[in-house]
């Protein structure tokens, strides 16, 4: 197994112990910081998987077209149990 796979599995296990506000803060810090290099996507992927496992709706930041999924690299907030990009207001 690759080192990246081990890191991803380790992070996912660790992030399951974080609260939702902590995960959102960590996501926003990672998105804002430019110094992460290649490991940035591994960390963010683990954060998003932990949020999904906690029942948070990720669909407002994920789009699917022609069989491809795209995840917006944006700061988020929690609104109605869904991650919403900062600066976007959802209607009730």
């Amino acid at each position: 197994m690759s080192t990246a796979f081990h890191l991803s599995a380790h992070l996912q296990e660790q992030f399951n112990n974080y609260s939702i506000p902590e995960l959102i803060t960590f996501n926003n810090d990672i998105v804002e910081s430019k110094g992460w290099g290649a490991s940035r996507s591994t960390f963010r992927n683990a954060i998003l998987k932990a949020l999904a496992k906690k029942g948070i709706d990720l669909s407002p930041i994920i789009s699917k077209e022609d069989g491809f999924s795209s995840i917006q690299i944006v700061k988020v907030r929690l609104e109605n149990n869904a991650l919403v990009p900062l600066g976007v207001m959802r209607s009730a």
Side-chain angles (χ1 to χ4, degrees), residues 8-90:
S8 179
H10 172 74
L11 290 172
Q12 288 174 31
E13 184 177 316
Q14 296 303 309
F15 288 152
N16 287 334
N17 298 319
Y18 281 60
S19 69
I20 292 169
E22 288 173 320
L23 291 167
I24 290 172
T25 298
F26 200 18
N27 172 81
N28 292 346
D29 290 346
I30 287 174
V31 166
E32 190 171 66
S33 175
K34 302 296 181 198
W36 281 83
S39 61
R40 176 174 143 174
S41 64
T42 303
F43 273 80
R44 187 152 188 263
N45 184 46
I47 291 166
L48 294 178
K49 283 185 177 184
L51 285 164
K53 191 171 185 177
K54 293 178 183 290
I56 302 301
D57 179 11
L58 306 178
S59 65
I61 63 166
I62 297 175
S63 61
K64 297 178 183 182
E65 290 183 33
D66 298 328
F68 293 96
S69 295
S70 177
I71 302 172
Q72 296 177 44
I73 303 174
V74 294
K75 293 172 105 179
V76 295
R77 70 176 186 282
L78 187 64
E79 185 178 309
N80 298 324
N81 207 44
L83 288 187
V84 177
L86 284 178
V88 175
M89 298 299 290
R90 290 176 55 182

